[in-house]
Amino acid sequence: MPSTPAKGAAATAALSKSNKPTPSPQPAQPPSLSPPPSDEKPQPPLRPVQTKPTQLARTARHALPALQAALFLARFRALVADPVAEMSMTLPVTAALQVTYALACLPVAGSSGGKGGDEAAAAGAGAGKKTATATATATAMPARLGSGKRKAAAAADGGMRKGATTAVLSLLLSALVTPFLYITMILFGAPFLTHGSHTLLCAAHMAVLALFPLFFVRGVDGRAWAALGGFAAPLDDTFGGLVGAVVGAWLGAVPIPLDWDRDWQRWPVTILAGLYAGYLLGRVVGGTVAWGKKF
Amino acid sequence: MTSRRGCNGFLSSVLLLVANLLIPAAILVFATGFFPYKPLLPGLATFDAVTEYGEPPEAKFDKIVFMVIDALRSDFVYAKGSGFQFTQSLIRNGAALPFTAHATSPTVTMPRLKAITTGSIPSFLDVVLNLDEGDESSSLASQDTWLAQMKAKNTGKLVMYGDDTWLKLFPDTFDRADGTSSFFVSDFTEVDNNVTRHIAGELKRDDWNTMVLHYLGLDHIGHKGGPRSPRMVVKQREMDGIIRQIYTAMESEDHLQSTLLVFCGDHGMNDAGNHGASSAGETSPALVFLSPKLRALSSGLPSPLPEREDFQYYSTVEQSDLAPTLAALLGFPVPKNNLGALIPEFLPFWPDPRDQVQLLMRNARQILDIVVAAFGREILESESDRDTLTESRAAYQDLAHGWKNVTGLLGQVSNGEAAPVLIPAVAKWLRNAQDVLSSMASNYDMSRLLLGQAIAVVAFLTAVKTLAMLADDKRLAFVPLSGVIAAYGIMMFASSYVEEEQHFWYWATTAWFAYTGIRGLKRGHQSPRAQVVSTALLLLVMRIVRSWNQTGQKFAGEPDIVKMYLHTNPALLWCLIAAAYIWVHMNLVFGLNSLPIWLSFAAATALVLAAFTFKVAFTLEDAPELVTGFARGMLEMNFSKHAPLITRAHTVFIGLGILAAVVLAFILLRRSVSWSQSGVATLFTLYTLLALTQSRPTNIPLFLLYSIQYRLLASPPTEHSRRRPMDDLSPVELSTLILLLQHAAFFAQGGSNSVASVDLSSAYNGVASFNVAVVGVLTFVGNWAGSIWWSWAGWLMMMERCSSPRAPRPYEATDAAPARETLGRMPREEEKEEEEEEARKRQASAWKRHVAVLTVFAAGGVAAVMAACTVLRTHLFIWTVFSPKYLYCAAWSLGQHLVVNVGVGGLVYWLRAREHAENGWITGCAGKGF
Ligand SMILES: [Zn+2]
Ligand SMILES: [Zn+2]
């Protein structure tokens, strides 16, 4: 049997050096010390995340989901043939695409979109700085080429540095959250004694897809995560992606019992397909027509 | 809002009543069209009726020993590694003629025996009648069977030893009989020894012409240990020994010179050892004819054969073919309602082709009579326009055509020379007729199907209208209910979703808990910590519940908690069972605490102890491998250690009855039976004990899990959580949750939409002589124990919510504080009365709303299942998947919905209202129990 979620979650909370709830939309959340909202002085409502106004961001915002969908479809046959191998192979690719997306389009936590994530990001920055630099320069290249003016380039360079650090930290947080997503999937009916690596990899994909952008834009801001966990946040690219991913993965279980005896009905192919489809759809819809709306 | 409600109060009650009356009407009308009563040709067939083919050919045998080995799958006899060594040697030398006899679904004993003896294909309704074995209408006493024909021959007595289903099917037919009943499938030896001990004596006597033997042991081993159980081969050797004994007597005894020995399975079994559905294993029993005379037919067949996945060994015949074949071999006319065709392998017995033609023609003629009886003689004469014919009539028309060709051939040449052409032609016609008639064993009455459908739709719309009048929930609250009904309706059209229905309920219930948990976080009535912990626990318990029993079709044999942890670890199982009984004991003492403490304690202890020792004693009979040291010791310690099971069951039932009567009396006399909770809650505890009594031992811990969920949903407010999760649900949402939990619990107990999964193990608790009503109720409670439990839980949750005076409608509330403040304040006297009146009204409307929600689902479900059965009536799976689903749907809507949710629920509400008036259970402190 899985360990009690609360206990495990508390451990992560300690790891992420925060008393705030673990950023997970699922119920596996740690105890929070924050008192009920009514006792606090009124705070401005959580604002939806605005993507960067650059040309590059606009292009990437539309091109990347298409690219991701195309990649998923292209590799679908391989996924059906050997889910574990394929999922472990595509995980870095998905992560890279997500990092590109975050750096190109999303505001870093604490800049203008999110609030209160600054200190946490800064506190953790020292640890991951060395490894971060290498990745940062690599991923920052296209962005640098894209901007023409020198001044803007310099500003972008500073932003990129911070962005890269945040991206690395967010990836780290996504990895930390993966076991809790795994437990949540088990609670939702994933096989418990078998298919362990299948489910874990599926959870990792979910973390990288749905949670990484949220870590990137919201940091570990407790209030933001409470709103996200209660599905009370306004819709935008990131939150839309989360909602889409959760609903998509849940709906992905629907075709499994059908007696078609197809290979793609095997665990967790449909869940992963639902996850990707839901995430991409949610991200696009959340970033466009439903932007700013609330549940 | 309120005034409109007042005006509509009466109207909504009427509409609700109408909807609930229409549901059984729809089910009944549809059933009469879907499972039509087949007109049976009355009387016994005689040779004199048909004279145009000349004198009937001579009989080859005058005595028959008919031996049924229950669940004897074909590979048990024919494959390598079988224990039937002697039989296999006879197959090799030609004295035994082996077949695989296809048994149609439902593969349950009684319909199969009907098929074997009458040659007809029993309607699906026989499954239901199989459960009420005492039903008169299932008796074959008045029908034409080969048993009746053997009796009519008057050449000897009929004797029967074995399964008493035969005695129920053929009352007053056997001259000597000893029936064995199969209450406990753990009985592998006694049940068979009771048959075998008669054989030697009977073989010495020459006053009988028919001996029927029916062995149950092999079936029992299958149910307990599956087809690969180590006991299986041992049992096969035992059966083979009996065949050797009879065969040797046939060779040596003079009066057995022309005796035919037939042994067969009535059905097979699947890989789990169960039967009822239509997998290859279940529908492929063995059928072997044995006699030294059979060497004339063949010089032997290879045996044993390598194992086959499809279980088709040697030639495959229909089970119904047995009747005309026996008729030919033993020299009596083919039973009137037979749909079988003479097995062609036996034709060479009659060297004269005219005899062969005649046997086939008589068989064909008899089947033609059935066609004529069903469609009138004009079908043979008129050449009506094909386009106007329905599909089934067209098929019959084809038969008529074929018949004309055959009679034409017969007319051309009345001597034996036409035989080489005619024999295959008749044989082909027979097969064709068999296919047509059996695939249309049910002639759907379309007008009734549509009428039933229409009534169900009207019931559904009426229920929807009622709910719309009664409920003032926000729109969003109807979304999950509508989603469940819509998804369920669509699902009914896909056979795999019907077979694996449990996934839907687990999937939906899990999502529900997550949804309400997330919503709770958003609303923030509770600390996020409490919210997260309670949601996670609800999900965790749900996850354990859903893996308790693996059910459905596809993965029925896969590991689950019961197989992996409880069967392998009986000590753990008994700890959990004991915990469940102790928990009931605590609740019972608590629920009777207005009685003197010694009395409540003594009564609760005596009853719970009786129930627990019954469970141990029952398990010792039913599944002895589960009863180990501690539980056995428990039974030994008890002063009642030699009490028979039936007395133990009676003690439990009578004890439950007495306590229930006491609680009822207290409520009716307007007194409190417990200072701490309502009398209805005490009744709930008593029901829980009944549910434990009627549940398989391995399912008893489930009730502990349910009660954890119930506590999480409804435990009273504490300083940590000011609100219970159920307070966050609107009335419609709470009813939806109850609906989900009722269904999930049914499947978690191992239920499914397959006939094979009906649990009959507790159906005979305390039953000495068969009684349809009692056995029916016990079976229902046994299979729906968890669902009924959640009905009770739902009533209590709902009533308790309505009890708090002036509590803001929680689902409308925006802040958490006021409810508590109101509770703390002492209301003035007149205010209190008003409040009570108000609370009573709230109770009544809450109950109506709850029933309305459940009625919407029940009527919607019935309509959807009917639509699926109508649309898919020609589907391959109509008899194997959709018809069983229809029966389950009827049981859900008549039993669980009408009787439990509406009937018992109404009674509980009425009692509660009475209690309410006197004790003022309005302080909202109730329900510390559970
Ligand atoms: Zn049987
Ligand atoms: Zn059986």
Side-chain angles (χ1 to χ4, degrees):
Chain A
M1 289 290 116
S3 66
T4 44
K7 206 174 165 189
T12 325
L15 275 174
S16 61
K17 290 171 187 162
S18 163
N19 288 330
K20 310 276 165 67
T22 301
S24 153
Q26 264 67 32
Q29 293 209 357
S32 162
L33 299 183
S34 63
S38 55
D39 296 358
E40 275 180 7
K41 58 183 178 193
Q43 287 186 354
L46 204 64
R47 275 182 312 219
V49 172
Q50 197 106 43
T51 42
K52 287 180 186 167
T54 60
Q55 182 59 42
L56 173 74
R58 268 194 289 277
T59 319
R61 213 174 144 208
H62 294 107
L64 281 173
L67 181 62
Q68 220 154 31
L71 271 178
F72 186 83
L73 289 177
R75 299 298 300 171
F76 188 73
R77 207 178 284 265
L79 176 70
V80 173
D82 186 353
V84 171
E86 181 63 17
M87 280 195 294
S88 19
M89 207 188 79
T90 49
L91 187 60
V93 179
T94 304
L97 280 172
Q98 287 294 82
V99 169
T100 317
Y101 160 63
L103 291 176
C105 310
L106 298 177
V108 180
S111 57
S112 59
K115 230 186 171 188
D118 269 295
E119 318 93 279
K129 211 160 195 173
K130 269 188 182 168
T131 42
T133 341
T135 351
T137 30
T139 40
M141 283 305 276
R144 207 177 290 175
L145 289 171
S147 68
K149 292 168 199 165
R150 210 172 269 188
K151 205 175 180 185
D157 192 42
M160 269 308 138
R161 208 168 279 281
K162 193 181 173 197
T165 318
T166 317
V168 170
L169 279 175
S170 305
L171 273 182
L172 217 61
L173 282 171
S174 306
L176 283 174
V177 167
T178 302
F180 298 98
L181 285 182
Y182 172 74
I183 291 171
T184 310
M185 284 184 168
I186 299 278
L187 287 181
F188 270 71
F192 173 57
L193 293 174
T194 58
H195 297 82
S197 46
H198 296 72
T199 312
L200 192 64
L201 279 165
C202 197
H205 275 260
M206 186 171 210
V208 167
L209 278 182
L211 295 181
F212 165 77
L214 282 165
F215 284 126
F216 189 86
V217 298
R218 302 287 185 195
V220 284
D221 172 10
R223 197 175 65 87
W225 279 102
L228 290 168
F231 278 46
L235 277 169
D236 52 40
D237 287 42
T238 55
F239 183 55
L242 172 69
V243 174
V246 169
V247 174
W250 179 63
L251 287 176
V254 170
I256 296 178
L258 283 168
D259 63 349
W260 298 343
D261 294 325
R262 301 294 164 85
D263 284 340
W264 56 260
Q265 282 175 293
R266 281 188 313 213
W267 186 263
V269 176
T270 55
I271 306 291
L272 201 70
L275 170 67
Y276 269 84
Y279 168 70
L280 293 175
L281 192 72
R283 175 165 132 188
V284 170
V285 171
T288 52
V289 285
W291 193 86
K293 296 206 174 100
K294 280 187 166 194
F295 280 109
Chain B
M1 231 15 199
T2 22
S3 68
R4 197 202 67 170
R5 184 101 60 80
C7 289
N8 287 342
F10 179 69
L11 180 61
S12 61
S13 302
V14 171
L15 285 180
L16 197 54
L17 184 70
V18 168
N20 277 298
L21 289 177
L22 286 179
I23 291 176
I27 289 173
L28 197 70
V29 170
F30 190 89
T32 54
F34 194 61
F35 310 111
Y37 175 72
K38 271 189 300 180
L40 285 172
L41 304 179
L44 288 193
T46 56
F47 280 129
D48 311 335
V50 181
T51 48
E52 65 234 55
Y53 312 117
E55 278 296 299
E58 55 151 342
K60 294 294 169 188
F61 299 95
D62 58 12
K63 277 188 168 63
I64 177 169
V65 178
F66 192 80
M67 178 172 166
V68 177
I69 301 171
D70 212 289
L72 184 70
R73 198 168 72 185
S74 52
D75 62 322
F76 293 167
V77 188
Y78 305 139
K80 281 202 175 77
S82 149
F84 284 90
Q85 297 296 325
F86 176 71
T87 309
Q88 292 192 345
S89 75
L90 293 186
I91 294 175
R92 284 193 296 274
N93 72 27
L97 205 49
F99 298 95
T100 301
H102 177 252
T104 52
S105 173
T107 45
V108 196
T109 302
M110 203 201 66
R112 290 345 313 146
L113 292 188
K114 279 192 168 183
I116 289 171
T117 52
T118 61
S120 66
I121 290 163
S123 76
F124 205 85
L125 269 192
D126 283 304
V127 187
V128 192
L129 301 179
N130 190 46
L131 304 184
D132 351 312
E133 281 165 9
D135 188 4
E136 276 296 300
S137 67
S138 62
S139 154
L140 293 178
S142 56
Q143 282 190 42
D144 195 358
T145 60
W146 57 258
L147 283 169
Q149 293 287 353
M150 287 306 282
K151 200 171 177 73
K153 275 177 86 173
N154 226 352
T155 56
K157 294 186 165 142
L158 278 73
V159 297
M160 200 308 290
Y161 300 102
D163 186 4
D164 59 359
T165 310
W166 286 85
L167 300 179
K168 286 169 186 153
L169 282 174
F170 301 98
D172 312 321
T173 303
F174 297 102
D175 301 282
R176 285 193 296 274
D178 183 12
T180 54
S181 51
S182 56
F183 282 174
F184 294 110
V185 291
S186 57
D187 180 0
F188 301 154
T189 43
E190 202 59 15
V191 78
D192 284 353
N193 289 343
N194 279 339
V195 181
T196 309
R197 65 193 163 95
H198 295 284
I199 292 180
E202 287 295 348
L203 289 176
K204 291 268 176 272
R205 307 172 82 136
D206 63 352
D207 63 340
W208 52 268
N209 69 2
T210 305
M211 174 156 67
V212 176
L213 307 167
H214 191 138
Y215 283 97
L216 289 168
L218 191 134
D219 174 64
H220 289 182
I221 292 172
H223 284 295
K224 281 311 250 196
R228 312 236 166 254
S229 157
R231 295 168 193 269
M232 197 55 95
V233 177
V234 180
K235 182 54 85 179
Q236 290 167 5
R237 289 204 194 99
E238 180 192 334
M239 294 295 116
D240 195 48
I242 292 155
I243 288 156
R244 181 198 289 269
Q245 181 188 1
I246 299 172
Y247 187 82
T248 316
M250 282 159 57
E251 282 182 324
S252 57
E253 301 278 347
D254 267 351
H255 64 274
L256 298 176
Q257 277 299 306
S258 59
T259 300
L260 175 66
L261 168 60
V262 179
F263 81 91
C264 63
D266 52 345
H267 46 75
M269 61 176 71
N270 58 21
D271 284 340
N274 293 321
H275 52 90
S278 52
S279 67
E282 288 160 275
T283 57
S284 306
L287 167 64
V288 188
F289 294 77
L290 305 99
S291 161
K293 288 189 179 182
L294 292 178
R295 292 209 180 88
L297 293 178
S298 106
S299 52
L301 292 164
S303 181
L305 296 180
E307 287 210 19
R308 291 180 60 124
E309 287 264 299
D310 62 357
F311 301 105
Q312 307 303 305
Y313 298 88
Y314 305 107
S315 357
T316 299
V317 297
E318 286 298 318
Q319 212 167 32
S320 52
D321 294 346
L322 196 60
T325 307
L326 290 183
L329 293 172
L330 288 150
F332 55 78
V334 182
K336 276 194 168 171
N337 293 299
N338 162 62
L339 292 180
L342 175 60
I343 300 174
E345 274 85 346
F346 288 99
L347 280 177
F349 247 143
W350 292 270
D352 184 347
R354 275 174 301 187
D355 284 345
Q356 301 184 2
V357 168
Q358 188 187 153
L359 285 169
L360 288 171
M361 283 310 288
R362 283 180 179 274
N363 190 181
R365 183 55 196 272
Q366 167 268 326
I367 288 183
L368 187 76
D369 286 344
I370 297 179
V371 177
V372 169
F375 283 89
R377 187 149 288 282
E378 59 278 7
I379 200 156
L380 292 179
E381 285 137 22
S382 67
E383 192 63 44
S384 50
D385 187 6
R386 288 298 282 273
D387 295 341
T388 63
L389 295 174
T390 62
E391 33 189 319
S392 68
R393 274 193 89 83
Y396 281 90
Q397 200 85 43
D398 275 347
L399 272 189
H401 262 291
W403 179 251
K404 271 184 198 158
N405 293 344
V406 169
T407 43
L409 268 177
L410 188 74
Q412 279 171 24
V413 265
S414 46
N415 53 33
E417 281 155 36
V421 195
L422 189 54
I423 289 172
V426 185
K428 193 175 155 228
W429 186 86
L430 274 172
R431 283 285 158 214
N432 186 23
Q434 194 175 32
D435 283 351
V436 170
L437 286 169
S438 56
S439 67
M440 285 157 205
S442 221
N443 261 302
Y444 306 108
D445 183 339
M446 279 311 288
S447 60
R448 276 170 185 266
L449 295 193
L450 294 177
L451 179 63
Q453 183 85 80
I455 299 175
V457 170
V458 172
F460 176 64
L461 295 177
T462 315
V464 170
K465 169 78 187 145
T466 319
L467 183 59
M469 286 168 73
L470 288 170
D472 52 3
D473 303 53
K474 289 186 193 136
R475 254 199 209 148
L476 194 63
F478 293 94
V479 172
L481 177 67
S482 319
V484 166
I485 295 175
Y488 183 81
I490 295 168
M491 254 170 45
M492 289 304 106
F493 289 85
S495 61
S496 29
Y497 283 132
V498 173
E499 285 176 339
E500 312 290 329
E501 193 185 319
Q502 73 279 6
H503 290 305
F504 172 71
W505 296 106
Y506 297 158
W507 179 77
T509 313
T510 305
W512 175 276
F513 285 138
Y515 162 68
T516 47
I518 286 170
R519 202 175 63 174
L521 273 183
K522 183 179 176 180
R523 289 190 180 164
H525 295 315
Q526 270 200 61
S527 73
R529 173 193 172 151
Q531 187 72 49
V532 167
V533 169
S534 80
T535 308
L537 281 177
L538 280 171
L539 285 170
L540 178 64
V541 175
M542 192 60 215
R543 182 66 177 86
I544 299 173
V545 165
R546 68 193 272 176
S547 41
W548 201 262
N549 281 298
Q550 184 69 251
T551 182
Q553 288 288 303
K554 212 168 168 185
F555 305 108
E558 303 267 295
D560 53 30
I561 290 179
V562 167
K563 285 192 210 87
M564 287 182 65
Y565 302 110
L566 299 185
H567 278 165
T568 54
N569 197 351
L572 173 67
L573 171 68
W574 285 101
C575 284
L576 291 172
I577 294 178
Y581 278 95
I582 290 169
W583 158 69
V584 169
H585 181 258
M586 280 161 51
N587 279 312
L588 204 51
V589 173
F590 187 78
L592 297 171
N593 67 5
S594 78
L595 303 175
I597 178 71
W598 63 268
L599 184 58
S600 64
F601 196 82
T605 309
L607 183 59
V608 170
L609 208 57
F612 183 71
T613 49
F614 165 75
K615 191 49 71 181
V616 179
F618 177 86
T619 314
L620 198 58
E621 292 284 349
D622 188 50
E625 72 278 5
L626 288 180
V627 187
T628 49
F630 151 67
R632 246 176 238 269
M634 181 82 198
L635 205 59
E636 287 300 310
M637 261 165 46
N638 198 285
F639 64 91
S640 66
K641 70 177 166 194
H642 296 300
L645 212 46
I646 212 154
T647 320
R648 290 179 188 278
H650 283 163
T651 315
V652 177
F653 290 145
I654 291 170
L656 281 172
I658 292 174
L659 279 190
V662 168
V663 176
L664 282 176
F666 266 83
I667 294 174
L668 294 177
L669 295 171
R670 299 173 184 277
R671 285 161 166 263
S672 309
V673 73
S674 164
W675 300 126
S676 347
Q677 65 177 15
S678 79
V680 169
T682 311
L683 287 178
F684 182 22
T685 307
L686 290 175
Y687 167 71
T688 307
L689 195 56
L690 176 68
L692 299 189
T693 308
Q694 287 304 103
S695 292
R696 286 202 291 265
T698 47
N699 281 344
I700 286 177
L702 277 176
F703 289 91
L704 285 174
L705 293 169
Y706 296 155
S707 81
I708 294 174
Q709 283 185 323
Y710 178 61
R711 277 203 87 112
L712 285 167
L713 289 167
S715 59
T718 61
E719 61 271 27
H720 298 299
S721 66
R722 280 170 291 175
R723 290 167 68 81
R724 299 162 287 191
M726 73 169 192
D727 293 331
D728 275 331
L729 302 178
S730 82
V732 169
E733 286 175 337
L734 183 56
S735 304
T736 311
L737 173 61
I738 296 303
L739 187 75
L740 291 172
L741 289 168
Q742 283 184 4
H743 282 85
F746 173 78
F747 291 101
Q749 280 194 282
S752 78
N753 287 322
S754 154
V755 179
S757 72
V758 179
D759 181 7
L760 288 173
S761 61
S762 295
Y764 296 91
N765 286 348
V767 178
S769 62
F770 186 84
N771 177 328
V772 184
V774 172
V775 172
V777 169
L778 291 178
T779 309
F780 182 78
V781 175
N783 285 276
W784 269 263
S787 312
I788 304 174
W789 196 91
W790 276 112
S791 298
W792 277 94
W795 300 327
L796 285 182
M797 280 197 248
M798 206 139 336
M799 290 183 300
E800 202 178 300
R801 250 164 51 138
C802 304
S803 302
S804 334
R806 282 214 194 142
R809 292 237 167 75
Y811 49 99
E812 288 167 357
T814 42
D815 61 337
R820 281 221 120 197
E821 283 168 17
T822 331
L823 291 183
R825 190 172 63 87
M826 271 306 286
R828 277 177 292 133
E829 203 49 34
E830 61 269 36
E831 235 177 79
K832 205 173 163 185
E833 265 169 38
E834 260 174 48
E835 271 164 11
E836 277 174 14
E837 185 55 35
E838 181 71 10
R840 243 198 311 279
K841 272 190 187 153
R842 272 210 305 273
Q843 292 268 26
S845 71
W847 183 70
K848 267 162 68 180
R849 216 160 29 206
H850 182 56
V851 170
V853 170
L854 298 176
T855 310
V856 168
F857 177 79
V862 167
V865 172
M866 285 179 180
C869 286
T870 313
V871 172
L872 301 171
R873 65 189 181 282
T874 54
H875 192 282
L876 190 61
F877 292 156
I878 188 69
W879 295 115
T880 56
V881 176
F882 298 105
S883 306
K885 175 63 206 175
Y886 184 79
L887 294 182
Y888 271 98
C889 174
W892 271 103
S893 5
L894 300 180
Q896 176 67 12
H897 175 67
L898 279 182
V899 175
V900 177
N901 282 334
V902 181
V904 181
L907 192 68
V908 165
Y909 265 86
W910 180 74
L911 289 172
R912 175 70 176 187
R914 266 186 93 85
E915 246 189 328
H916 210 277
E918 185 58 25
N919 310 335
W921 270 109
I922 47 175
T923 42
C925 68
K928 283 224 168 56
F930 291 101

